Amino acid sequence: AEGEGLVLPKKIRVRSAVEQWLVNVEKSMFDVLKKFLSQGIEDWNCQMFSQWVLSHPGQVVLTVTFAI
């Protein structure tokens, strides 16, 4: 609804069994979220909260604010 999106870091080949490429999609999703979460945690102390909230995806904002 907010127009947010995360771009996967690499292309997923859809040539093997469906189970295999879906595992690759899932792994890529975890990797990109891990990267964005790490960046969100790093930026937590460096930015004002209102600026920090607007500069990170909603899922990262929710996860980091509840974890810290």
Side-chain angles (χ1 to χ4, degrees):
E2 299 297 323
E4 293 180 347
L6 300 175
V7 178
L8 296 180
K10 60 181 180 178
K11 292 182 181 181
I12 306 294
R13 299 186 87 179
V14 186
R15 302 210 178 183
S16 56
V18 66
E19 295 85 2
Q20 181 59 47
W21 65 264
L22 282 176
V23 166
N24 292 340
V25 169
E26 183 180 42
K27 183 179 179 336
S28 290
M29 288 169 46
F30 279 116
D31 290 345
V32 76
L33 282 174
K34 184 177 177 180
K35 181 181 115 182
F36 276 92
L37 282 169
S38 295
Q39 188 63 51
I41 292 168
E42 277 184 39
D43 292 347
W44 176 262
N45 293 323
C46 302
Q47 295 177 342
M48 292 186 59
F49 184 75
S50 57
Q51 180 186 7
W52 178 84
V53 167
L54 296 174
S55 65
H56 295 285
Q59 185 175 6
V60 171
V61 169
L62 289 172
T63 303
V64 173
T65 52
F66 285 113
I68 292 183

